[in-house]
Amino acid sequence: MKTAILIPCYNESKTIKKVVCDFKKVMPHADIYVYDNNSTDGTDKIAEENGAIVRYEFKQGKGNVVRSMFRDIDADCYIMVDGDDTYPAESAVEFERLVLEKNADMVIGDRLSSTYFEENDRPFHNIGNKMVRWLINLFFKSELKDIMTGMRAFSYDFVKSFPIVSKEFEIETEMSVFALMNNFSIEEIPIDYRDRVEGSESKLNTYRDGYKVLRMIYTLVRDKRPFFFFTTASLILLFIAAVYFVPIYLRYRYYGYVLKIPTLIVVSTVVMVAAVTFFTGVVLHVIKKQNNAQLENHLTLIRLNKKINNSYFRFL
């Protein structure tokens, strides 16, 4: 059984040596991959000198890096961790066990139930993490404790079936929702979190990246729960139409004729748009169910191919 440690990096020269060495010590059997994302501080050289397999992704953004890692590497267990030395390598042993022995498809390192709020002195990051967690749990009917953690483990099935859309830091949110909506097995374990060492700077911009994450949540609700999204939009339109229609109707009952014909025309148009919106949700819901069925078939083929390959290598 092969385990791969995946470390996406952008200018992490202050910490990458310790991260690589810690994982080599804790998991000597694992292959450690450092994917350098246009670093200018020698991160790649430091990683290579300390025994990591260094590869490059020249399209900027964490989502682009993760896409390359998932496409390039074949393993039975994937453990992804940031290169900023904020996550303990010791936790990776339990992550690996849950994937290989308990058949978990995604293991989430839960910082928020542990030391995150004590270690992190950026209040808007704390608020943002709580808000994203609340929104995801609300819209996707889950009870996840940490949505945006940078330490996770994945099964082969998850990695090879996850169609990555995100280009930057929205990737963690997209991963969580994909697992929730496609019935993948999710485990969460609390992990200690420590703040960055002095001289190491976060690449996450609170406002810019926070906006991108919220936009991603909006997109995921629309795409992954189309019936809910478009039915809600339809009901809002019907409510607005009713607010303007009721006074017209009451005056019609009293006077015997319509006083505001232009308003009535607009109300009728809004009702028609609401009907079209509702049936759009119905159609997209059916398409989504078909896509889910195709994903199940895809997962079956992935497992079949994996068994065939394993049998072939045993024969050799």
Side-chain angles (χ1 to χ4, degrees):
M1 304 296 281
K2 180 182 177 182
T3 297
I5 311 295
L6 311 180
I7 309 175
C9 279
Y10 173 61
N11 287 342
E12 299 290 4
S13 61
K14 300 285 185 182
T15 55
I16 189 61
K17 177 179 178 180
K18 183 175 185 302
V19 173
V20 171
C21 291
D22 285 352
F23 275 94
K24 284 179 65 178
K25 179 180 178 182
V26 172
M27 308 190 76
H29 59 285
D31 294 329
I32 301 176
Y33 295 87
V34 170
Y35 269 66
D36 185 81
N37 194 205
N38 302 312
S39 296
T40 57
D41 63 351
T43 296
D44 53 342
K45 294 179 181 178
I46 297 171
E48 192 169 25
E49 288 170 358
N50 286 276
I53 303 168
V54 177
R55 293 181 178 176
Y56 297 89
E57 172 52 57
F58 299 106
K59 287 181 289 186
Q60 196 66 40
K62 186 175 181 179
N64 291 322
V65 178
V66 174
R67 183 184 297 107
S68 291
M69 291 192 296
F70 283 8
R71 286 177 179 175
D72 295 347
I73 300 170
D74 290 330
D76 299 289
C77 174
Y78 301 77
I79 299 174
M80 188 175 74
V81 64
D82 291 340
D84 55 10
D85 192 34
T86 56
Y87 299 96
E90 295 76 16
S91 299
V93 176
E94 180 64 10
F95 278 52
E96 182 185 51
R97 187 187 72 82
L98 289 172
V99 171
L100 297 182
E101 297 181 15
K102 300 297 183 180
N103 296 321
D105 290 300
M106 182 168 70
V107 182
I108 296 173
D110 173 19
R111 311 158 299 163
L112 304 189
S113 299
S114 183
T115 56
Y116 182 79
F117 296 114
E118 299 169 8
E119 291 287 327
N120 192 337
D121 57 2
R122 294 160 290 183
F124 287 107
H125 283 214
N126 297 342
I127 294 170
N129 271 282
K130 290 180 179 179
M131 182 170 67
V132 170
R133 178 178 63 183
W134 179 76
L135 288 171
I136 293 298
N137 287 336
L138 173 67
F139 288 123
F140 297 98
K141 301 179 181 179
S142 63
E143 296 181 355
L144 297 181
K145 297 181 177 63
D146 194 347
I147 303 298
M148 301 182 69
T149 180
M151 186 172 186
R152 300 169 187 254
F154 309 98
S155 67
Y156 180 87
D157 289 356
F158 182 92
V159 165
K160 297 306 178 183
S161 61
F162 178 34
I164 299 175
V165 176
S166 306
K167 296 180 180 179
E168 299 183 16
F169 287 102
E170 316 95 290
I171 184 66
E172 284 91 358
T173 305
E174 187 183 4
M175 286 175 176
S176 300
V177 172
F178 179 76
L180 288 170
M181 294 305 297
N182 292 285
N183 202 32
F184 282 101
S185 173
I186 303 174
E187 296 282 350
E188 283 190 290
I189 57 174
I191 58 171
D192 290 332
Y193 175 90
R194 49 183 177 258
D195 206 3
R196 284 175 170 266
V197 300
E198 187 176 352
S200 174
E201 296 182 0
S202 173
K203 314 306 182 298
L204 180 66
N205 182 286
T206 303
Y207 302 104
R208 183 192 66 226
D209 293 309
Y211 166 75
K212 290 179 180 178
V213 170
L214 293 176
R215 187 177 63 184
M216 172 59 69
I217 293 173
Y218 169 85
T219 302
L220 289 170
V221 173
R222 183 195 64 197
D223 295 348
K224 303 300 183 183
R225 297 195 63 193
F227 185 75
F228 166 79
F229 180 87
F230 286 98
T231 299
T232 302
S234 179
L235 290 174
I236 292 172
L237 291 172
L238 289 175
F239 176 77
I240 294 171
V243 168
Y244 286 93
F245 175 75
V246 170
I248 295 174
Y249 176 74
L250 292 177
R251 287 173 182 168
Y252 170 76
R253 291 290 302 272
Y254 184 79
Y255 293 108
Y257 57 89
V258 177
L259 294 176
K260 296 182 177 180
I261 293 178
T263 303
L264 185 61
I265 293 173
V266 172
V267 167
S268 301
T269 303
V270 171
V271 171
M272 288 189 289
V273 171
V276 171
T277 301
F278 172 75
F279 286 109
T280 299
V282 171
V283 171
L284 291 176
H285 177 69
V286 172
I287 293 173
K288 180 183 174 299
K289 290 185 72 174
Q290 292 175 344
N291 288 340
N292 289 346
Q294 291 175 358
L295 177 62
E296 290 299 320
N297 292 333
H298 175 68
L299 289 171
T300 301
L301 289 174
I302 285 176
R303 293 190 179 186
L304 180 61
N305 289 334
K306 190 176 180 182
K307 288 180 180 179
I308 292 173
N309 289 337
N310 288 341
S311 299
Y312 174 73
F313 284 116
R314 286 196 202 99
F315 174 77
L316 291 179

